[in-house]
Structure formats: structure tokens, C-alpha cells
Amino acid sequence: MTKLDQFESVFLAADKTALHYEKLAVEHVLVVSDVNDDAATALWQQVRTFLSVLDDPSTRWARLDGGGFSSVQQLLDIVDAEAPDLIVTYRHLHSSAWQWPHSLGEYLDVLTQATPVPVVVLPHPDTALALPHTVQNTDRVMAITDHLSGDDRLVNYALGFTQPGGSCWLTHVEPQAVFDHYLEVISKIPEIDTDSARELIERQLLKEPRDYIESCRQIAERSLSCEIGEIVTMGRRLSEYRRLIEAHRVDLLVVNTMDEDQLAMHGLAYPLAVELRQIPLLML
Amino acid sequence: MTHDPSSVSSAVTIGFALLLAAMIASLAFEEKLHAKKSVIVAGFAALCLLLGGLLDLLPFSEMVIVVGEEHIDLPIYIPAIDWEVVAIILGSSLFVDITSKSGLFTWIAIALTKTSKGDPLRLLMFYGVMTVAFSAVLNNVTAMIIVGSLTAVSLTRLQLGDKLLGFLLIEGLLTNVGGLLTLISSVPNIIVGDAAGITFMTFFTRAAPYVVVVTGITIWMGAKVFGIHPLASDEARSVAAQRVSGFDENDGIKSRFKFNFGAVMLGAFIVTIAAASIPDTVLHSLGMGYVALSFAVIMLVQYKSIADRFYQAVDWDLLAFFGALFVVINVMEHAQVLALIGRGVTPILGLGDTIGPATMLVSAAVTSSVTDNIPLAAMLATILGNLDLSADSPYWWAVIFGANLGGNITPIGSASTLVAVTIIHKHGLALSFASFVRAALPFAVVQLGLAAVYVLWVL
């Protein structure tokens, strides 16, 4: 039944996943910091400027300064009571561990997993690590994943955070190491032609996100005022992401955080959140 | 054909008849034997030739062609094969295979899916008509593979998995109805049409009305039996339309030029095959096999550097099966087995112009339902050919309709229904031999009943 499989493959390939666009609705934003008074106000103003794309007469902005909470439980209770649509904060709240770039700090660790609310993670105000162009506006947003096709939530957030006239980069980096591993196995199976397998699998792996991005581009052309950029490539994920972020002077990086299969943060999100400390991240 | 029929003893004839029965039984149990048709029949052909030679049944002395002063010795089994039939099958299968590479058929299939907007009843009607049209142009198996695999993908997309069995069963049954549309739509048509001298156009104009009516009835019955209804609400229609809108009919088209060229050539192929029916023309003299092979060559020019890939894709099992089958039938003719079967068929002919063809139709259908319809068609074509029947005799049409529609009674009756069952099982749906017969029998009875009425009183 080789022919049956051939035609089924043709039809499966023709069945393309398209973006189901939904306008982002962020009606309540909570800015959480571990500073007070002038420092907190300065941060608050910087965030309002940075996220001006969310400004809408109906959007309610609230702030929780350092004196407002002193434990993770307290923070979670406040978040629960406020029920924000978005939290804006930074790493290592109430901690000096920001000096050692090896974790997110206990507050952010729990916050990103214990609540379903998306979190914008800013560069720590004390580190002076933020790249010069960042935390000013969101005219260059990048959504990044290793499985872009069908990830409507990720893309809708990325589009929603892109300022009018800005660029939204949709990025799919196929893990080269995994691909190489499978190819190594295939090279030991006589029934499968290794060169054909390499060419065809790579082509199909990259075609699916490209088709999906094309559907995003069509929607953007019809009903949005931003430009869609496409980056679909094979690569070593973290180093590739770092290179792309620098090359495109990204203002905000959008990544998935939740993983349905585990309590811990998404396997890719955690190293990104730990290592990419120079630009704001939107962790979904 | 036999040098002296009276010299063949009854014992020899019965012995060869038993060999023929054994071959037909082996073909019926092809799956159980884990052997391809070509191997089974080639084995019997080799044995028949050897026995025919040893028993002095074969006219070796007649196998010399005199061309001028040159005498060409032909192996006995070469003229036994109907090369026109082989040429039509080889040429048209190559042509269709290359044309399908252009993405033409998948484009049509996906465009129709999108046009249906995901409505189940409209989808059943479109897929049903498409199955018939594809079966008429392609072979039944390829038509079933294309429509069946798309059905599985699109119904999964529409979350209509519970309707998959009904869709596939209806499509399987319609492949054999579509196989009646033209002279080249199925192998029994080619064999019987060739023996009867029925032209392409005559075949089409006579068979088409029946095919149109029965397609409509089969789809209507299918919708009723399997509960396939139109979507009831605007919301459901909107969701379904959105789900099928993701299909991209252009995805399989690698080259727009090859796609357009394939479409034009397909139209030209059908017109030229039809033109070969016109008597006293060069095309008529060259035959449909020449037309099919020529179009295959024209299409191959598009892929000249990888032509060998298409040769590999040719169904050599089917062609070798034909070649060997013709040899077996030729030996059976010399052994007077066909004359013996002909004597068995004679009472049917004696039943009169109404009951006779009707009995022939039902007998051919019942036989085709449990064994391959190609040997049956080849045997009956040879037997009827020896009776000097005219081209418009209802007996030819009785064999054609019976041999094609008999495949709808059981899952092993035709290769295309077997493909439908394979797809059904592949998607985890249970359908035993008995449940197939239970589900398909009402359709087959209606189709055969209408065929009998059509052959007897309309044709």
C-alpha cells in the first residue's frame, strides 16, 4: 500500500495549520517590584512607556511595590485577589542573588508556574545589563519556539505586544542536535536512504512553520498594521536565539513557559529566562 | 485455433479444466497464499504450456511468420497474448501516473473539499462524483487510493471520524460503478470491448446514462443508510468551513507548467482515445494501445532524466498477470476447456433475449464477487467471441456490467473495495467480511437490478 501512504502524505501536507487570530485583551496590568517610593515610581513610569501598546482607556494599571509583600504566599494571594491579565516584574525580587546569573529567584520561579497569568520579565534595575534599545518601546517583538506551527496563543500575544508600524518576528528554531540524532539512527537502517531522508525531513520540518507564518502574514496584511518577519532555521537553540535577538535588536522576546507534562517550567523557557537577562521577556 | 478439436480427449479437457479451477481458486486465496497474482498465474501458464506441448495440443508448426523471404519463428506463447490490451494498460497507467505527479488529481480533490465548505452531505456528493470520475479516467484502485486517503484526512480534520466507514464504503462501491463509464475505465471493459469490437465512443454513450443514475442513487442510499446529513446550524457551517479552509490545493504542485501541461494532456488523451474509435482513420488502425503509449511518451519527455522512476512505478504484477493469463486461456482453448465452458453457457443463451442476458449478468456478478473478474472477463470474452455475436448483443454488456458490479458484493470482489477496507482497518474501524456483505448487499442488489433493466430494455 505504498501508493496509499503517498497520497495520504500529500493530503496531510496540504492540510495546513493557519493562525486563528484573536485580538489581545489585556484589561488589567499589575506591576510588581521590590522597591518603594521614587524608585518604584520611576520603574512604574518606565513600564507604562515601554508597554504603551497596551494603553487603552479601559486598561487598569496597578502597582505592587516592595513593601506590599514579603513572602511568595503573600504575592500569590495578592495576584489571586487582583486577578490581572498581565504581571510585569523582574528577577530576584527581594534578593541580591541577581548578582549570580543562575536562577530567577524564588518569587518569579513560583509566579510563572503557580498562576496562569503571563509575566513580563524586565532586566533587573540594579544590574545595568539592559541593552540600550530595550525597555523603551515594543516596535521589535520576537516570538520564539521550537514548535511554532499551531501555537496561536504565542503568536497572538506577540502580535498584541507589537506597536503599530513595528515588526513582529516569528521564529522557529528546529533543534539541530535532535535532528542529527535521528539522522544518525536512520543512517544505520539499510531500508531508508539517508540522504533522501535528511533532505525530505528537513524540508518538511521547516515547511510547516513557514506555511503557518505565511497565514500569520496574510492576517497581518489584512487587519494589522505591523510587519511579520520570518525566521525558520535549524540550530543549537540557545546560541541561535541569542544570535537572533542581537541581530534583530529585539525589544521583547515572547516565549512559552507552561508545560502541560510537567510541574517545572518549559524546558526551553527556563534557560532562556535565566540567560537572556539583557532584554525583557514575555513568559506565557 | 486448435488444429483438430476432435483429437482432444475428454479426460485431457477435464484435466485442464481442473487446472483452470485450481488457478481461479488460488487467485481467490491470493492473500492467504502470500503470492502475487502474476506469480500464481505465471506458474499455471508454465505448467499449462508444458502439458499442452507434451500432449501435442499446441500448434507449434503454425508459429512461423513469413515476411518476404524471411521466416520468423515465434514462441507459442507470444501470439497468445492480446498485446493491444497490454499496450492500453501499460500506456494509460504510465500516462496517468506521470499526470498525477503534476498534482492535478490532488488539486481537484482538495479544491472540491474546500468547495464543500465541510458540509458532510455535500462532501459525500462531491467525493462520490469524484470517485466515479477518477475511476473512469484512472484505474479503480488509484481512484480509491486518492479519494479514500483524502476522505480519511478531511473527515479527521472535520472531526467526523464516525462517518468515515460510511464514506469509504460508498466510495469503494462507486469505484466499480465509475469503472463502467468508459472502455478504458476497467480491465474487463478493455478485454470484452476489444473482443466485441465496441468502440470507445459507443461504450461511453451507452454506459454513461446508467452510471449517472446509479451514482445518484448510491449516494442517496449511502446518505440515508449511514446518517450523513447536512449541517444544521450557521455556527456548525462556519466551524466546518474554517476547518477545511486550511487545505491548500496548490501545495502538491511543484511546477505550474507541468500542472497545466498535465491538465491539457489529460483532456487531449480522452479526446484522442475517443477519436481512435472513428473507423477508417489512422488512429483507428493504430489502436488505443498506440494512443495510450504515445501519450505516455509525451508525458515522459517532461521527466526525461528520471523516466526510470516511472518505469519502476508501473504495475508489473498486473501486466505480468495479464500476459500469463492470456497464455493460460490460450492453452485452455486448445485443450477445449473454453468449448466445454461454452457448452455450459449455451443454455443461458438459450433462455431467450430477456432471461438469457439477465442470467449471464447475475452469473458474472456472483462469480466476480468471489474471484478476480479479469480471468472471468477474458474467458467469457473468448467464449462469446467464438459464438460470433454482434457488437450490440446484450450478452457482451451483461458480462461487462456483471464483471464490474460483482465486485460490490464482497470485499474481495474487486481490488478497489479491498483498498477501501484496508483504509477502514488502517483507521481502526472494525469491518468483517460478513459486515461488509451486510452493508454492501442492498447497494449491489439495487445496482445489479438496475443494470439488468438497463441492459435488457434500454440498451
Side-chain angles (χ1 to χ4, degrees):
Chain A
M1 300 305 288
T2 325
K3 262 191 165 179
L4 177 61
D5 191 57
Q6 278 173 10
F7 278 105
E8 200 163 275
S9 300
V10 168
F11 292 125
L12 284 170
D15 183 8
K16 293 177 180 173
T17 308
L19 171 69
H20 296 149
Y21 175 67
E22 279 181 23
K23 193 174 185 304
L24 195 60
V26 179
E27 293 173 349
H28 184 193
V29 183
L30 177 65
V31 181
V32 180
S33 72
D34 60 356
V35 292
N36 295 294
D37 306 325
D38 291 349
T41 304
L43 180 76
W44 163 262
Q45 283 166 349
Q46 189 184 20
V47 169
R48 293 294 300 266
T49 308
F50 171 55
L51 296 177
S52 60
V53 69
L54 301 178
D55 266 339
D56 187 276
S58 64
T59 310
R60 189 158 65 86
W61 291 79
R63 58 191 260 192
L64 176 62
D65 295 345
F69 66 100
S70 57
S71 70
V72 173
Q73 186 59 56
Q74 255 186 321
L75 177 59
L76 291 177
D77 289 344
I78 293 167
V79 167
D80 196 35
E82 285 277 336
D85 298 316
L86 180 73
I87 297 168
V88 183
T89 188
Y90 46 84
R91 297 167 187 80
H92 301 295
L93 293 169
H94 290 308
S95 163
S96 58
W98 55 265
Q99 296 167 78
W100 297 278
H102 304 298
S103 74
L104 302 177
E106 60 180 311
Y107 287 92
L108 193 55
D109 255 348
V110 176
L111 197 61
T112 53
Q113 295 301 290
T115 73
V117 184
V119 180
V120 170
V121 182
L122 303 170
H124 196 285
D126 292 341
T127 59
L129 274 173
L131 291 171
H133 65 274
T134 61
V135 206
Q136 292 175 17
N137 57 37
T138 55
D139 64 354
R140 297 177 78 84
V141 174
M142 179 179 280
I144 211 158
T145 178
D146 57 358
H147 193 92
L148 183 67
S149 183
D151 199 340
D152 294 347
R153 185 167 182 257
L154 182 82
V155 174
N156 280 327
Y157 265 96
L159 292 172
F161 272 81
T162 307
Q163 283 188 188
S167 300
C168 179
W169 296 90
L170 301 179
T171 305
H172 174 106
V173 178
E174 195 65 44
Q176 183 78 50
V178 177
F179 182 70
D180 289 345
H181 173 65
Y182 281 108
L183 255 296
E184 195 188 331
V185 173
I186 286 171
S187 70
K188 295 171 186 169
I189 301 172
E191 288 83 358
I192 304 176
D193 181 75
T194 309
D195 289 338
S196 295
R198 181 188 304 280
E199 186 192 332
L200 297 174
I201 294 172
E202 182 173 340
R203 189 193 301 161
Q204 189 61 33
L205 277 173
L206 302 185
K207 180 178 177 293
E208 287 181 11
R210 283 189 181 125
D211 288 341
Y212 181 71
I213 293 171
E214 183 53 36
S215 81
C216 302
R217 187 175 286 127
Q218 286 170 8
I219 287 170
E221 281 172 6
R222 272 202 311 271
S223 46
L224 299 170
S225 57
C226 65
E227 192 180 305
I228 300 290
E230 173 189 305
I231 301 170
V232 177
T233 183
M234 309 282 293
R236 314 278 159 189
R237 286 183 293 196
L238 204 57
S239 58
E240 191 66 26
Y241 291 171
R242 198 188 293 279
R243 187 188 68 74
L244 292 169
I245 289 157
E246 285 170 10
H248 294 284
R249 293 171 55 84
V250 173
D251 296 319
L252 179 68
L253 188 70
V254 187
V255 292
N256 284 314
T257 313
M258 298 289 192
D259 190 328
E260 284 177 6
D261 295 335
Q262 59 192 34
L263 288 170
M265 193 182 284
H266 186 283
L268 181 62
Y270 193 77
L272 277 175
V274 169
E275 298 203 18
L276 300 176
R277 305 161 81 89
Q278 298 164 300
I279 59 162
L281 306 178
L282 170 56
M283 304 182 73
L284 302 177
Chain B
M1 302 258 221
T2 317
H3 24 211
D4 183 8
S6 59
S7 66
V8 182
S9 71
S10 303
V12 168
T13 302
I14 289 168
F16 274 91
L18 288 174
L19 262 181
L20 182 64
M23 185 191 80
I24 292 170
S26 304
L27 286 172
F29 293 104
E30 180 194 354
E31 298 282 322
K32 301 271 179 215
L33 292 172
H34 299 293
K36 290 284 182 188
K37 280 181 186 154
S38 57
V39 178
I40 295 171
V41 181
F44 278 96
L47 184 61
C48 286
L49 281 170
L50 182 65
L51 292 175
L54 289 172
L55 296 169
D56 197 25
L57 299 174
L58 304 176
F60 292 110
S61 57
E62 295 170 19
M63 293 296 108
V64 180
I65 297 175
V66 181
V67 183
E69 294 180 359
E70 199 174 348
H71 287 219
I72 302 170
D73 281 309
L74 281 180
I76 187 83
Y77 44 83
I78 292 297
I81 296 168
D82 188 335
W83 292 101
E84 174 69 352
V85 172
V86 172
I88 293 171
I89 292 164
L90 175 63
S92 55
S93 65
L94 252 178
F95 172 76
V96 162
D97 194 40
I98 303 165
T99 309
S100 74
K101 286 284 182 293
S102 71
L104 178 64
F105 300 113
T106 51
W107 185 90
I108 295 169
I110 293 172
L112 276 176
T113 304
K114 288 174 82 172
T115 309
S116 77
K117 297 189 186 300
D119 182 84
L121 185 61
R122 215 178 296 160
L123 211 53
L124 180 69
M125 289 193 283
F126 286 179
Y127 283 178
V129 173
M130 184 165 61
T131 305
V132 170
F134 281 7
S135 299
V137 179
L138 314 169
N139 66 63
N140 291 4
V141 169
T142 306
M144 187 62 228
I145 286 173
I146 293 177
V147 183
S149 54
L150 174 63
T151 303
V153 172
S154 62
L155 291 194
T156 305
R157 177 66 136 149
L158 288 163
Q159 297 176 6
L160 290 171
D162 58 321
K163 305 289 180 209
L164 183 60
L165 192 143
F167 267 77
L168 290 171
L169 200 70
I170 298 300
E171 288 159 8
L173 301 179
L174 285 174
T175 54
N176 292 322
V177 175
L180 279 167
L181 194 59
T182 77
L183 184 61
I184 57 163
S185 299
S186 76
V187 177
N189 301 0
I190 299 172
I191 294 171
V192 179
D194 191 46
I198 302 170
T199 65
F200 183 90
M201 280 311 292
T202 306
F203 194 103
F204 177 74
T205 52
R206 291 193 154 204
Y210 171 84
V211 171
V212 170
V213 171
V214 168
T215 299
I217 291 172
T218 305
I219 293 171
W220 177 79
M221 281 179 71
K224 293 284 172 204
V225 171
F226 296 107
I228 298 163
H229 308 296
L231 292 169
S233 68
D234 285 343
E235 191 191 346
R237 278 190 282 273
S238 164
V239 170
Q242 193 189 32
R243 283 180 179 154
V244 292
S245 68
F247 280 104
D248 180 1
E249 64 271 38
N250 296 312
D251 190 72
I253 301 172
K254 303 286 182 284
S255 154
R256 187 52 70 174
F257 171 77
K258 284 177 181 165
F259 176 83
N260 293 335
F261 187 76
V264 170
M265 289 306 289
L266 181 65
F269 175 69
I270 293 167
V271 170
T272 315
I273 281 273
S277 305
I278 302 167
D280 302 325
T281 60
V282 176
L283 277 182
H284 188 262
S285 305
L286 287 168
M288 287 193 294
Y290 165 81
V291 175
L293 285 170
S294 300
F295 272 79
V297 171
I298 294 168
M299 291 304 289
L300 275 173
V301 171
Q302 297 289 311
Y303 299 90
K304 51 189 178 296
S305 62
I306 53 163
D308 54 328
R309 288 190 202 167
F310 293 103
Y311 302 149
Q312 286 167 19
V314 168
D315 192 344
W316 292 111
D317 177 57
L318 184 70
L319 287 171
F321 165 61
F322 283 130
L325 179 66
F326 283 126
V327 171
V328 170
I329 288 173
N330 186 260
V331 177
M332 292 298 159
E333 203 173 358
H334 291 302
Q336 297 303 304
V337 175
L338 296 194
L340 180 69
I341 298 170
R343 284 198 290 279
V345 172
T346 308
I348 295 179
L349 303 179
L351 291 172
D353 289 345
T354 305
I355 298 176
T359 309
M360 178 71 84
L361 191 149
V362 172
S363 310
V366 171
T367 313
S368 292
S369 72
V370 289
T371 186
D372 202 301
N373 61 4
I374 295 166
L376 176 83
M379 257 190 323
L380 288 176
T382 311
I383 291 165
L384 294 179
N386 290 339
L387 296 174
D388 290 329
L389 295 173
S390 66
D392 55 358
S393 164
Y395 286 100
W396 295 117
W397 292 100
V399 174
I400 289 168
F401 278 78
N404 278 284
L405 296 174
N408 282 349
I409 300 173
T410 69
I412 58 161
S414 76
S416 53
T417 46
L418 199 57
V419 171
V421 173
T422 304
I423 302 174
I424 287 168
H425 289 165
K426 190 181 174 188
H427 288 86
L429 300 166
L431 185 72
S432 63
F433 187 99
S435 25
F436 179 97
V437 174
R438 262 198 307 277
L441 199 59
F443 293 89
V445 167
V446 169
Q447 291 167 349
L448 285 166
L450 287 171
V453 170
Y454 190 74
V455 168
L456 295 175
W457 288 290
V458 182
L459 279 179

